[in-house]
Amino acid sequence: MRKKDILSNLQAIPSEKGIIFLKKEENFLYVRRTKNIRKSINNFFTSRNQDDVLFQLISQTTDFDWKTETNQLQILATEKKMLKKIEPQFNDKLNFWRNYFYLAIDFYNVPYFSTAEDTQKKKFYVGPFHSNFFIIDVIGCFAELLKAPACEGEDFPCERLKKQQCLGYCLEETKKIQNLISKYYLHPNWEFLKRKRQDQGNLLRDLQFTQAELLKKEINLIDSYYKHLQFLLSIKHIKWEDNIAGVHYRIEDGILAKAGDFEFPVIIPEYRENEILAVNKEHLDEMLWCYEFLCQHATEKLDKQKQKSIEELIKLGYLES
């Protein structure tokens, strides 16, 4: 479809999974898999992103095209094959993963929680996440719900402690903050969220609607964080292969390694001890794509791998047995 006709014909574009193609006449500029073709194409017109590369891509695009597909692994395989064969010029330039962030945890020193662009310092890393604002909000939610630290710098005691908004972990033995991190930050604490949902219900019964709505938002944010933790615990070392519709697929370490006759290189770094809950930025979106597929087709395998990761955290002293 010509670019000039997109917005007036948006409802004609399917809202299904597939691949979108941005082209300059017959030349491919950008190829990308998506869970919702219509939404992704619309985002190119409504995005407030000021990225110069994105602006150049939209300016040069004359046509949008797409291909629908129900098999998620086949969508990923098609994308990977096209990127290797065609090498669209904007796929390498427009790498959104460069803007992803990690949650950096320090078990001993203030600030205990911060955002980081990489995993090079001597901290424990979780992520990456698509937004540093999400991480900041998660830190703030735990601070609100648990009076946990949300230190803005290395100076302490800070204003939050003076206002009794924090329990003063900076003035206590480091074991106290380590226990907090172990209990709430390194694995999904669903019992904690269950109690908070009960608190929300009590607020609603007491007609405290504003407080209930605020607590609901905090619960949803922590729930999203815990689901991402569950993904990180499950995906890094997963091994899976099977036939789907007569095509043999293989996933290694969370990356699609084979689809039919096509073999895709899987180059995964040797993760350090402080990266048990971290993956490379450039692998995140593909791993999430494969994880969503495996959640529907190999839940038992994911559960086993998650348990192995938890056992490793226990062995290394990050979690209590």
Side-chain angles (χ1 to χ4, degrees), residues 297-313:
H297 296 85
T299 53
E300 185 176 343
K301 188 173 283 289
L302 286 174
D303 289 341
K304 287 181 179 179
Q305 185 56 54
K306 180 179 70 174
Q307 188 57 41
K308 286 182 181 179
S309 298
I310 289 175
E311 289 170 1
E312 186 178 4
L313 287 168

Side-chain angles (χ1 to χ4, degrees), residues 82-316:
M82 290 194 68
L83 291 179
K84 184 177 181 180
K85 181 179 179 180
I86 301 173
E87 297 184 348
Q89 67 179 91
F90 280 93
N91 274 83
D92 186 53
K93 294 178 181 179
L94 198 63
N95 281 325
F96 295 109
W97 56 262
R98 292 194 178 100
N99 298 316
Y100 296 169
F101 281 80
Y102 296 90
L103 168 62
I105 300 176
D106 193 317
F107 289 84
Y108 303 97
N109 303 299
V110 172
Y112 299 109
F113 309 105
S114 58
T115 64
E117 294 186 26
D118 55 51
T119 61
Q120 299 307 306
K121 294 184 178 179
K122 292 183 178 179
K123 296 187 177 185
F124 187 93
Y125 293 94
V126 180
F129 298 85
H130 288 130
S131 167
N132 63 325
F133 297 111
F134 176 82
I135 300 172
I136 293 168
D137 287 343
V138 167
I139 295 171
C141 276
F142 279 124
E144 180 67 28
L145 298 175
L146 298 169
K147 288 193 174 182
C151 320
E152 295 183 359
E154 298 180 1
D155 297 329
F156 66 92
C158 65
E159 286 300 315
R160 293 192 70 254
L161 180 59
K162 295 175 183 178
K163 295 178 180 178
Q164 297 184 329
Q165 295 173 329
C166 177
L167 295 180
Y169 294 88
C170 57
L171 304 179
E172 301 284 347
E173 294 289 333
T174 56
K175 186 66 176 176
K176 186 175 179 181
I177 185 64
Q178 291 166 2
N179 287 339
L180 178 79
I181 294 168
S182 173
K183 189 173 182 180
Y184 296 102
Y185 292 82
L186 303 187
H187 69 100
N189 189 329
W190 300 119
E191 185 60 34
F192 166 65
L193 279 188
K194 180 180 178 181
R195 293 197 302 271
K196 290 302 160 185
R197 289 191 175 98
Q198 291 171 345
D199 292 343
Q200 183 201 1
N202 293 335
L203 288 171
L204 288 172
R205 281 191 290 274
D206 293 339
L207 305 182
Q208 299 183 52
F209 301 117
T210 302
Q211 294 92 324
E213 185 61 27
L214 177 60
L215 181 55
K216 179 181 178 181
K217 291 180 180 179
E218 293 169 337
I219 290 170
N220 289 341
L221 194 69
I222 300 300
D223 182 76
S224 295
Y225 173 71
Y226 280 165
K227 286 176 180 175
H228 200 69
L229 268 185
Q230 195 156 277
F231 151 74
L232 292 167
L233 286 163
S234 306
I235 198 65
K236 278 174 66 172
H237 304 297
I238 199 77
K239 308 287 184 185
W240 174 91
E241 60 182 314
D242 204 349
N243 292 319
I244 300 176
V247 179
H248 188 76
Y249 296 93
R250 185 174 73 249
I251 293 173
E252 293 180 10
D253 298 324
I255 299 293
L256 181 63
K258 180 179 175 62
D261 296 330
F262 289 89
E263 297 272 357
F264 305 107
V266 179
I267 304 173
I268 300 293
E270 184 176 343
Y271 292 106
R272 296 172 293 156
E273 179 183 312
N274 64 337
E275 297 172 317
I276 295 175
L277 293 178
V279 300
N280 276 17
K281 288 182 179 182
E282 60 265 40
H283 296 149
L284 175 65
D285 290 329
E286 181 171 345
M287 285 180 163
L288 282 168
W289 191 271
C290 290
Y291 176 74
E292 184 175 294
F293 171 85
L294 292 172
C295 282
Q296 300 174 15
H297 296 85
T299 53
E300 185 176 343
K301 188 173 283 289
L302 286 174
D303 289 341
K304 287 181 179 179
Q305 185 56 54
K306 180 179 70 174
Q307 188 57 41
K308 286 182 181 179
S309 298
I310 289 175
E311 289 170 1
E312 186 178 4
L313 287 168
I314 292 172
K315 181 181 178 181
L316 294 171

